Each structure stands twice: as C-alpha cells, then as structure tokens.
Amino acid sequence: LNEDELAMVQDEEGRQFRADLLDQLLSDEYDVPPAGESAVGIEDNSFLSDKNIHYYTDIGLLSFAETRQVAARVLAFNTENPEIAFDDSTVEQLLCGIGSHHAGILPAHKAFVETLFRVELMKVVFATETLAAGINMPARTTVICSLAKRGDLGMELLETHNLLQMAGRAGRRGMDVEGACVISSTAFEGPDDAITILTNEIKPVVSQFSPSYALAVNLIDRGGGKLNVARNMVEKSFAVWESTQREEDLQAALQTLDTQDGDLLPEEQFLNALQFMLEKELLEARDGTSRTGTSQSKVSKLTALVDVLADGKKLKTVSKRYSGAAQILELEISTLKYLERELREMEEMTPDSELPPGFFDSDKNEFLSEIKTQRQRVMKGEREVNNNILSAMAKVTNNRMRDGTDGSESLKKALLTLRLHGEESAFPEGAPLEPGELNAYIKKSPKSKRRPLLDQNTFAPSEENESWDQMLALLKILEAYGCLTAGLGSDESDSNPESNKFNVTSGGEHVGRLGMDNSLWQLCALGAAWDATYESAELDRFQEEFEEALADFETNGHDSMDQEEDDSSGIPKPQKEAKVLAEYLCQLSPSEMAGYVSALVVDAPRRSASALESFHKLTYLQQRVVQGALLSLERLVEVQRKFGLDDVIGKCQLELSSCDVVTAWASGCSWNEALAISGAAPGDLVRTLSRTL
C-alpha cells in the first residue's frame, strides 16, 4: 500500500479501490502501551507535554501518574490513527478523567473510553442508555439526569426496565459492597414521575418472531423442499406460546372486574368496563379476528385509547386538555353570540332623521368583519374539541353499544347505573354518551390505580395461524418471482402449497444468502428477479386505462405507438423492466454502485433531506438506475398486497440520503471530507459504510 492513507489500490483490471482505512474506523481494538509507560519525551510545546499534564492533574479528577498514563495512551492512538485522532477538546476531557460514550462516536473511540474506564483511568462517563446493556462497564454510582427521552412520538418517560437497567450499573462486583443511583429532578420530571416508573410492573418479554423471505427459503432448503421444518419452527415459536395465555388473561380479567365492582365507584366501574371492552377488541384486531376491522389504522386508534384508559396520569392529562379546549370553545361561542346580538340591535335601530344616510355603515362593516373572524375562531375551537381523544373515545363507546359487540351489554349497564346514580342527570336513558359527560366521569374517578386489565404483550401474533399464513404468503410470492418452483410429484391443481414439494432456484439461493429484512426486494433492485408469473398484470391494466383516459385530451398518439412497439417485443413487461435495470446497473462505476447499494441497505435517518433533494444529488447513471428500480418496487408491492403479506414484513427500502456520501467515499475522498458531505456523526457514518460493505 502507499504510505498515504488516502491512496487507492488498483487491481489487475485497473479498477480503483479504497485502502484499508475503513478497517481502522470499524476496529474496536488498538495497541495499548504498558501501564507503566508514560508520555516521556513529548516536546514542551506539545498539547500532551509534562507542563500540560501538571495542569490537567490540578483541574481534573486523576492523579499525576494516572494523567501521564492517559496522555501516553492518547498519544499512541493519535499517532497510529492520524485520520481519526482525538481532537483537542476530547483530549482535554480524557486528561481530566471524563469521557463520553454514545452511538454517534466511532467504535474505536468507544472502545478507548471503555478501556480507560475499566482500568480506572476515567472517573466519569456521560453516556446514553445503550451503555447500560451488553457492556462490562460497572460504576460505583450512576446518575440519571433525565427520566424522559426523545422517541418517534416526541418526549416520553423511560420504561421501567430501562431505568432499572441503568440504575443496576451501580456497584462493581468484587470492588464495592453497595452502589448508589441518583435520579435528578428536572423542570419537566419530578419525584412523582420517578416513583411511577420505579413502581410500575416490568413489561414481559415479547416475541419478535417475524418470517422473512430469507427465512422461508432457508427452511425450505433444510426441509428438503417440504414445509415440515418451517411448520415445526412456527409451532415452537415464542409467539405461539404467548397465544395460549390470551384466553386465560381474558377470564382472569373478567373475574377481577366482577370481584372489584362492589368496592368501586360507579364512574370507575364504567371506565373499567369501557377499558376491558377496548382491550379485548384491540387483541382481536391484532389477531385479525375483530368484527369491527383489523386495519393498521384501526389498531393504532385502539392502542391510543387503551393507553390513555390504562394510565391514570395520561387520563388526567387528556381530561385537563379537553376541559381547557371546551372552556375556550364556550368562551368563543359566547363572544360570537354577543357580536351577533349587537349587530341585530344595530340593524333594528331607527336612525335619527337628522343623521346622514349610511352613518352606521362603517360600524356594521366592522361588526361583520369581527363576526367573520370570530366564527373562524369558533370553528377552530370545535376542531380542537373534536380532535381530542375523549371525543374519539365517546364516539367509539356509542358505536360499540349500538353495534352490540362483546362487552356492550356490560357497558350499557354500567352507564345506566352511573346516570341513575347521579343526583341530577342531564342525560336520559338511552341517550348517546357525550364527550363532556365522559370527561365528568373521568374527573370523579380515582386514577392512581389504573393499569392494563389484559396482557397486551401477548398479541404479536396471538395465534399460530397468523405467522403461518404469512409464511405461506412469502412462499407464494417467492414462487411468483421464480425463486421457488414446484418439484416433481407436486399437484399443480392443488392450491394448497403445504402439499407441494419445492425446489430452490439460483434466485432463491441468493435470497437466502442475502439474509436482509426483504432479500427479495434487494434481488429485484439488482435486476436479478422479476414477476415471472405476471401476478402484477392488474397494475399494467390500470396504467393502460389511465393512459387511454389521458389520450382523450391529446391530439397526438405517440404514447399509444410506443406501447404497441413495447407489446410486439414478445418479452413479458416485468422481465423487460428487469433487463433494462440490469443494463443500467452494468454502466455504473464501482463507486456509483456502492452508493446505489447503500440505498438498499441503510436505514433512513431521523432527520434527512427530502427524497427529491437526495435524488438530485445522484449522478445521472444513478438516477436512471433508481428510476428503473422504482418500477420493480411498484410491482413487488402490488404482488405482496395481492397475497396478503404484512406491510412490516414486506417493507421495501430505497433510502437515497446516503448515496452521495458513499459514492464520494468509494471514489477516494478523505474521512473528514465524507463527514462534511454527510453532516452525520462519525459513528453514524461508520455504520452506513459498514452496512454498505
């Protein structure tokens, strides 16, 4: 290799490749000087000179000898890894005995911090919660600076198991008799939140079993073409075991409700009945057995309602928000009525004959303008009230009582008892439940002991059939794309794939070896697989009818002539699209291919540029490839929908945000240049490059 770490390596065919710098970035090992070695020999003007070591000993947490050891280790690391050397601010922290550990720093830097901490050359580490799991870095004391973290839905309180895992790092085995955990209060989380988290039940382990194309192919191969191995694996999965608990949970919850009803307030009995009915419906919706719908949006709405009813703090917050919105709406309506009354009175007044005509016109116009503005405010207030989750909860309650679903009679009985229990009920028997009425019941009901009535962690999937049906859907799609073929002895007239024996084709072997979340999509995106049985024909028919409709408004027929020419080729359209995509791919340079591959394997960052902006950063050849891949993507999505594959299992990824930086990196740019292009943290960029490789 060239001594310059930025040099490129050239193979026998003249292709250029990066040197082994990425090995340094990915490495979590480095040469550590012996414990007795110091920073002797460093020049006086060096950042790590003895003069500076004395300074950092005075202001830091380490002794003079410890600071010298850290200085020697830092010097060795920076000398051997010049392009990823620690910057001055980080070196200052290390010499003071302080470090940081999170996903945004390089693996080698994280390993350096872990080593210093284990050999007691670092006294304080600022870290994210990932440090609490899987890394041997125990401490005498842990400090939880915040009880909330930012998630996909904004700031959320920590889960109980996360907090206990972090607190459990306090106390070093063989070194400390006990450990201490300090939970600091913030302007947003206080002692009540800490008590709530610490006293909540730890959520049970939930099955993460999810079939995939690669799994289906590999199980077929292990079973010699039969489905017995795949069937046995599904039957023995943790998800199926969870399903056996569902009925027991339902019966136990019913017995608990019957036992507690005599000791509860009528408002609490009604809320429990509503919560039980919604939790049961949520389980059924997740199973695909609910009569009221099983769509993802339906599950999301039910989940939101159940989460509020099962959490006293959330229920209290929602109630306060509804009360505030309702009061504002009431005030806006009163203001509108006042303005309308003033306008009517002005119109009814008979002006004095001495006053000139049109004397009140300006006042009337001003009132009309104010009334228009006020009506908009009322409409805004109505939207806020209607969008409140209590309005949705009241609507769902009325629909369930009217539809006669399971639990509706108990709910009707609880509501009737509640209305009769009130001294002056404004809602007669049989009247629908109003959001304001529901809010009044919530205010009167105790909230401190609210918790889930059913184990909502036994839902995914709650029955064996769900996982097996998805496995069968995967097999049908693989067969449609030529990755599996029916073997000898299979009955082609039998629509049940369980009775068939399959052969794994070369395409299927590639799917199994890729092992990605959606290996079939990766294969299609590389032009190596297509809809061989033309299951996506409906997509083309729709497109043709759409183009014919557009042609009615045009005077030329170029589009129809092009279509006829395409049809005369004799090659099925999906295969032709895959062939064109493969031709485009062969025109890419190695660096352009690396950038395109990153779009297939790299997860989308939380904050990234728009897809259009990322597309414009691609080279011309990459843009052509992406356009061809989108056609294959559209077909695969249609086939997956046709066979009923779950959207999560069949997710197809085409994330363009990292293409430009990966292309530049593969072309030979420096590490610092790649960081500047990506705008990402070093650790995030390393994961992108590693995943692409």
Side-chain angles (χ1 to χ4, degrees), residues 431-460:
L433 178 68
E434 297 292 338
E437 180 187 9
L438 177 59
N439 189 35
Y441 298 152
I442 292 174
K443 288 181 177 180
K444 295 180 181 179
S445 175
K447 304 173 186 63
S448 60
K449 296 183 180 180
R450 298 208 63 81
R451 62 186 66 250
L453 301 175
L454 301 177
D455 185 2
Q456 290 293 330
N457 294 285
T458 61
F459 66 84

Side-chain angles (χ1 to χ4, degrees), residues 613-665:
E613 183 178 347
S614 299
F615 182 78
H616 287 159
K617 294 180 180 179
L618 305 180
T619 66
Y620 172 71
L621 290 176
Q622 285 176 325
Q623 290 179 350
R624 294 177 64 184
V625 169
V626 168
Q627 290 172 337
L630 288 175
L631 296 177
S632 298
L633 173 61
E634 190 176 21
R635 290 195 181 279
L636 180 58
V637 170
E638 171 64 18
V639 175
Q640 290 180 158
R641 182 201 61 79
K642 180 177 181 179
F643 287 109
L645 188 67
D646 187 87
D647 292 340
V648 176
I649 299 175
K651 180 182 177 182
C652 299
Q653 183 168 295
L654 190 62
E655 177 55 49
L656 304 179
S657 61
S658 60
C659 287
D660 58 336
V661 64
V662 173
T663 302
W665 169 262

Side-chain angles (χ1 to χ4, degrees), residues 563-582:
Q563 182 65 42
E564 290 176 1
E565 182 180 352
D566 291 340
D567 292 341
S568 63
S569 63
I571 302 177
K573 196 170 183 180
Q575 183 179 357
K576 183 175 182 180
E577 292 172 353
K579 181 180 179 182
V580 172
L581 175 58

Side-chain angles (χ1 to χ4, degrees), residues 139-264:
R140 179 179 299 171
T141 303
T142 60
V143 180
I144 312 297
C145 299
S146 175
L147 293 174
K149 68 173 183 177
R150 184 174 298 280
D152 295 334
L153 302 177
M155 295 300 296
E156 299 175 341
L157 289 177
L158 294 173
E159 296 286 352
T160 301
H161 68 276
N162 285 340
L163 180 59
L164 295 179
Q165 182 73 17
M166 289 187 285
R169 285 294 169 180
R172 298 166 293 180
R173 178 178 297 178
M175 300 175 64
D176 301 320
V177 179
E178 60 183 17
C181 176
V182 180
I183 301 177
S184 59
S185 178
T186 68
F188 305 99
E189 304 95 29
D192 291 340
D193 297 298
I195 293 173
T196 299
I197 297 175
L198 290 171
T199 57
N200 279 345
E201 294 183 1
I202 298 178
K203 292 183 178 180
V205 178
V206 180
S207 171
Q208 299 297 320
F209 173 75
S210 179
S212 65
Y213 290 109
L215 179 64
V217 169
N218 291 329
L219 290 178
I220 289 294
D221 187 51
R222 287 182 59 185
K226 288 289 187 178
L227 299 184
N228 56 328
V229 174
R231 184 84 190 199
N232 291 336
M233 193 207 69
V234 172
E235 290 176 349
K236 294 178 180 179
S237 68
F238 184 55
V240 174
W241 177 86
E242 287 178 320
S243 68
T244 61
Q245 309 300 313
R246 187 165 70 100
E247 289 301 324
E248 297 178 8
D249 293 338
L250 291 174
Q251 295 301 323
L254 284 173
Q255 294 177 3
T256 301
L257 287 176
D258 293 340
T259 303
Q260 293 180 349
D261 277 352
D263 302 328
L264 302 179

Side-chain angles (χ1 to χ4, degrees), residues 212-440:
S212 65
Y213 290 109
L215 179 64
V217 169
N218 291 329
L219 290 178
I220 289 294
D221 187 51
R222 287 182 59 185
K226 288 289 187 178
L227 299 184
N228 56 328
V229 174
R231 184 84 190 199
N232 291 336
M233 193 207 69
V234 172
E235 290 176 349
K236 294 178 180 179
S237 68
F238 184 55
V240 174
W241 177 86
E242 287 178 320
S243 68
T244 61
Q245 309 300 313
R246 187 165 70 100
E247 289 301 324
E248 297 178 8
D249 293 338
L250 291 174
Q251 295 301 323
L254 284 173
Q255 294 177 3
T256 301
L257 287 176
D258 293 340
T259 303
Q260 293 180 349
D261 277 352
D263 302 328
L264 302 179
L265 295 175
E267 291 83 3
E268 194 170 4
Q269 293 180 25
F270 171 72
L271 292 179
N272 286 347
L274 175 59
Q275 179 182 337
F276 177 78
M277 184 188 69
L278 293 179
E279 287 188 8
K280 186 173 183 296
E281 184 177 349
L282 175 59
L283 286 173
E284 294 173 349
R286 285 164 166 166
D287 295 344
T289 59
S290 175
R291 294 188 303 166
T292 59
T294 59
S295 65
Q296 187 60 43
S297 61
K298 175 64 176 297
V299 172
S300 300
K301 292 177 182 178
L302 286 174
T303 301
L305 295 178
V306 168
D307 286 346
V308 171
L309 284 170
D311 189 323
K313 185 176 180 180
K314 291 182 180 179
L315 192 61
K316 184 178 180 180
T317 301
V318 168
S319 177
K320 286 184 176 180
R321 289 178 180 174
Y322 179 86
S323 298
Q327 290 175 2
I328 293 175
L329 176 60
E330 184 178 356
L331 179 61
E332 300 291 5
I333 292 176
S334 300
T335 304
L336 177 61
K337 290 181 178 179
Y338 166 77
L339 293 174
E340 291 176 340
R341 185 174 64 252
E342 289 292 317
L343 179 61
R344 286 195 302 269
E345 292 177 356
M346 182 179 296
E347 292 175 343
E348 293 172 358
M349 291 176 60
T350 303
D352 192 289
S353 58
E354 297 180 358
L355 296 176
F359 182 79
F360 291 101
D361 287 352
S362 60
D363 293 338
K364 287 179 60 176
N365 292 335
E366 185 176 350
F367 264 102
L368 289 173
S369 177
E370 291 182 2
I371 288 175
K372 181 179 179 181
T373 303
Q374 190 60 32
R375 285 174 178 167
Q376 293 176 350
R377 291 175 178 171
V378 170
M379 293 174 61
K380 179 181 178 182
E382 290 175 342
R383 286 196 299 269
E384 291 182 356
V385 170
N386 293 333
N387 290 337
N388 188 278
I389 196 169
L390 287 191
S391 298
M393 195 177 295
K395 181 179 179 180
V396 170
T397 303
N398 291 324
N399 290 339
R400 298 305 172 267
M401 290 192 297
R402 184 179 61 253
D403 297 342
T405 55
D406 293 342
S408 61
E409 291 302 323
S410 300
L411 191 60
K412 289 180 182 178
K413 181 180 177 181
L415 180 58
L416 178 61
T417 302
L418 183 55
R419 287 175 170 176
L420 295 176
H421 179 267
E423 296 179 359
E424 295 181 1
S425 177
F427 302 94
E429 180 180 351
L433 178 68
E434 297 292 338
E437 180 187 9
L438 177 59
N439 189 35

Side-chain angles (χ1 to χ4, degrees), residues 93-147:
Q93 297 168 10
L94 296 176
L95 293 178
C96 289
I98 301 172
S100 61
H101 190 288
H102 54 85
I105 63 178
L106 294 174
H109 289 183
K110 286 194 290 186
F112 191 92
V113 170
E114 293 167 14
T115 300
L116 291 184
F117 193 78
R118 281 197 291 267
V119 298
E120 301 185 57
L121 292 178
M122 182 174 290
K123 306 303 182 183
V124 176
V125 177
F126 290 85
T128 56
E129 61 180 300
T130 54
L131 182 63
I135 301 177
N136 182 24
M137 289 183 64
R140 179 179 299 171
T141 303
T142 60
V143 180
I144 312 297
C145 299
S146 175
L147 293 174

